[in-house]
């Protein structure tokens, strides 16, 4: 049997066409075949070169082209030259359009864009974990945003929530006995947001925290005197930096995150639109 050549033509990576072709060829006892993959085919001239090569061989054309002009060109060329061809995209797009009454975007590479979106989110989450709780002050310079505040002001939950919006967040705890990292004063104040809470709420939260750890609720960490000292210390630092301050006492994480994103926009900081509703 003459060697079979399967042409895989795509306006993206061509992985879908390749996987379908390999799954299909696996159903036959064929050894003399080859696959030629042509990714990122975005113009008719390039497409024409590929198809003219295919017409001179014992070929099959498999294509995943969302551009209607290119898809129609392949269909017509293959029909005129009696080349078996399979359009893996258009029939499904038509079916989805029929059921939803929506028109397809016909934009190449949308799957790849989704992948990029996913990996950017993962990168932001890994960043938040790496630079949580002041672990490494070097992360402050690399961050999109820095959250500062005393213990139990939702720094970590907010960092993770914002990371899921593709915002790289570092956070720094403010403790009277621990020097503030010098990097905090080396970055623009508009990149910093201070978080605070009411003494009563902090007292309640900290006592519950101690109980969950099996410690006495009378420990200095949860006393009103200690809490007031920490709040006063934190406020001095925040005023020195000149950053906005948000009271998180009666706010859900989502609400506080919304306020932070609005402040970032007002300060001209980059906010990734494609992730705000994800």
């Amino acid at each position: 049997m003459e060697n079979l050549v399967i042409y895989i033509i795509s306006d993206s990576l061509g992985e879908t066409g390749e996987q379908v072709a390999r799954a299909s060829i696996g159903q036959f006892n064929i050894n003399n075949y080859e696959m030629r993959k042509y990714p990122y085919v975005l113009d008719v001239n390039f497409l024409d070169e590929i198809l003219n090569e295919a017409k001179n061989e014992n070929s099959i054309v498999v294509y995943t082209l969302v551009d209607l002009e290119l898809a129609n060109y392949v269909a017509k060329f293959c029909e005129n030259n009696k080349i078996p061809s399979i359009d893996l995209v258009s029939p499904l797009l038509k079916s989805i359009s029929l059921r939803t009454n929506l028109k397809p975007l016909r934009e190449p590479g949308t799957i790849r864009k989704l992948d990029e979106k996913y990996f950017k989110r993962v990168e932001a989450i890994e960043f938040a974990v790496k630079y949580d709780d002041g672990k490494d002050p070097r992360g402050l310079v690399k961050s999109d945003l820095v959250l500062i505040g005393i213990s139990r002001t939702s720094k970590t939950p907010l960092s993770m929530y914002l990371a899921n919006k593709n915002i790289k967040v570092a956070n720094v705890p403010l403790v009277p006995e621990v020097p503030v990292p010098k990097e905090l004063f080396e970055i623009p104040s508009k990149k910093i947001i201070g978080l605070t809470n009411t003494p009563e709420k902090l007292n309640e939260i900290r006592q519950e925290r101690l109980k969950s750890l099996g410690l006495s609720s009378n420990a200095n960490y949860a006393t009103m005197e200690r809490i007031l000292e920490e709040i006063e210390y934190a406020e001095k630092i925040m005023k020195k930096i000149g950053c906005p301050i948000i009271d998180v006492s009666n706010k859900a994480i989502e609400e506080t995150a919304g306020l932070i994103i609005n402040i970032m926009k007002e300060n001209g900081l980059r906010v990734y639109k494609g992730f705000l509703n994800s």
Side-chain angles (χ1 to χ4, degrees):
M1 185 186 73
E2 187 180 353
N3 186 57
L4 175 65
V5 183
I6 301 176
Y7 282 75
I8 299 159
I9 304 173
S10 174
D11 50 26
S12 187
L13 295 173
E15 292 177 343
T16 301
E18 183 179 17
Q19 288 174 3
V20 171
R22 291 194 181 282
S24 300
I25 202 73
Q27 297 298 314
F28 298 87
N29 187 20
I30 302 175
N31 295 318
N32 56 332
Y33 75 90
E34 64 176 297
M35 292 191 184
R36 297 180 190 170
K37 184 167 69 172
Y38 296 88
Y40 304 113
V41 179
L42 301 173
D43 64 81
V44 172
N45 291 332
F46 184 24
L47 183 58
D48 194 57
E49 289 179 18
I50 299 167
L51 294 173
N52 274 292
E53 180 183 317
K55 77 176 183 180
N56 296 318
E57 298 187 276
N58 182 35
S59 64
I60 296 172
V61 174
V62 178
Y63 57 104
T64 54
L65 298 167
V66 297
D67 185 292
L68 195 56
E69 180 186 357
L70 297 181
N72 288 340
Y73 188 89
V74 175
K76 186 174 181 179
F77 186 100
C78 289
E79 182 181 357
N80 291 341
N81 291 277
K82 295 181 173 53
I83 304 171
S85 65
I86 300 92
D87 182 348
L88 294 178
V89 173
S90 294
L92 185 54
L93 290 181
K94 288 178 183 177
S95 296
I96 294 173
S97 183
L98 182 65
R99 287 297 187 188
T100 62
N101 293 318
L102 298 173
K103 291 184 178 180
L105 297 173
R106 292 285 180 181
E107 292 179 2
T110 51
I111 293 177
R112 190 173 69 256
K113 289 175 185 175
L114 288 173
D115 287 342
E116 289 172 0
K117 177 178 176 179
Y118 169 76
F119 286 117
K120 283 181 181 293
R121 179 182 286 121
V122 170
E123 183 182 355
I125 292 171
E126 289 177 345
F127 186 95
V129 172
K130 184 175 182 179
Y131 298 112
D132 180 47
D133 207 31
K135 290 176 185 173
D136 186 348
R138 292 174 297 181
L140 303 186
V141 179
K142 304 174 187 176
S143 66
D144 296 321
L145 182 74
V146 178
L147 301 178
I148 61 174
I150 64 176
S151 175
R152 304 293 106 183
T153 51
S154 303
K155 295 185 300 299
T156 297
L158 278 166
S159 295
M160 297 307 298
Y161 185 91
L162 292 167
N164 273 283
K165 302 296 182 184
N166 196 37
I167 298 171
K168 291 182 178 179
V169 186
N171 71 73
V172 178
L174 298 179
V175 184
E177 295 79 14
V178 180
V180 177
K182 61 181 178 58
E183 289 85 355
L184 196 60
F185 299 100
E186 295 173 353
I187 60 176
S189 60
K190 65 180 182 180
K191 279 182 58 174
I192 304 170
I193 290 181
L195 302 174
T196 190
N197 209 331
T198 63
E200 295 77 16
K201 191 70 174 177
L202 284 167
N203 177 256
E204 178 186 335
I205 294 171
R206 290 188 177 191
Q207 284 188 353
E208 289 300 319
R209 174 65 173 163
L210 289 171
K211 287 178 183 177
S212 69
L213 295 173
L215 302 173
S216 171
S217 59
N218 295 321
N220 185 48
Y221 170 74
T223 64
M224 191 62 74
E225 182 181 359
R226 172 64 183 184
I227 290 170
L228 291 172
E229 178 190 355
E230 288 186 26
I231 291 175
E232 183 181 3
Y233 171 75
E235 285 180 350
K236 285 181 180 178
I237 298 295
M238 293 173 191
K239 287 177 182 177
K240 183 177 180 180
I241 292 170
C243 63
I245 302 173
I246 298 176
D247 184 346
V248 302
S249 56
N250 295 309
K251 295 180 180 67
I253 293 296
E254 295 84 355
E255 185 181 357
T256 306
L259 291 173
I260 290 172
I261 289 170
N262 287 336
I263 291 171
M264 291 179 70
K265 289 178 180 178
E266 289 170 5
N267 287 339
L269 297 177
R270 185 177 180 185
V271 177
Y272 306 86
K273 293 181 181 178
F275 297 79
L276 297 186
N277 297 319
S278 58

